[in-house]
Amino acid sequence: TFGLGRLVTTWGQGITTKIPLVGHIYSASRQLVESFSLSEAKSTGFKRVVLIEYPKAGAWSIGFLTNFTFLDNGSRLAVVYVPTAPLPNSGWVALVPDDQVLDTDLTVPQAMQVVFSAGVVSPTSIQTRPIES
């Protein structure tokens, strides 16, 4: 029965992705959900845990580096997903100049633990460095 369930799920996903507009939303949502699964995180986008200065100078938020992009003037931006506690799937995306992003020594699972616990579970220290590609 497990194989039959997987077959039906795969079939249903295939149909859903072919529906105009719904398919794009479903695919993006599915990638986000898979990013929260530790076994899928490497393939779907959460590459590194970073800090960005938000919501004001001197206040830092945990984010997940998902990509880099460029402005038309050649400036490189880090694409950072900032989860909200305690429901990280309701986060937001920030495009931040890469010189304003700090790379951390936190792993994705450690950062998720901080987010899911609303900060109750936090590391005693976080090592940071300027972000590199």
Side-chain angles (χ1 to χ4, degrees), residues 8-129:
V8 170
T9 301
T10 302
W11 177 77
Q13 289 173 345
I15 289 174
T16 303
T17 58
K18 289 180 174 62
I19 300 171
L21 187 61
V22 172
H24 292 293
I25 294 169
Y26 173 76
S27 294
S29 299
R30 182 169 176 222
Q31 285 183 333
L32 176 62
V33 169
E34 287 175 352
S35 293
F36 292 112
S37 165
L38 300 181
S39 63
E40 301 287 339
K42 286 191 174 28
S43 66
T44 57
F46 290 173
K47 297 176 182 8
R48 301 195 300 255
V49 179
V50 296
L51 296 178
I52 62 170
E53 215 165 3
Y54 178 84
K56 64 178 188 155
W60 295 89
S61 293
I62 289 178
F64 298 98
L65 178 68
T66 60
N67 214 338
F68 290 100
T69 191
F70 292 88
L71 292 176
D72 57 358
N73 68 5
S75 301
R76 187 171 84 152
L77 300 173
V79 181
V80 179
Y81 179 75
V82 181
T84 54
L87 300 171
N89 59 334
S90 65
W92 50 278
V93 175
L95 293 126
V96 184
D98 62 354
D99 63 347
Q100 296 177 23
V101 179
L102 294 178
D103 212 346
T104 73
D105 63 340
L106 294 175
T107 64
V108 171
Q110 288 172 322
M112 292 305 296
Q113 190 173 33
V114 172
V115 173
F116 279 119
S117 73
V120 172
V121 177
S122 297
T124 54
S125 68
I126 300 173
Q127 299 294 316
T128 62
R129 62 197 165 282

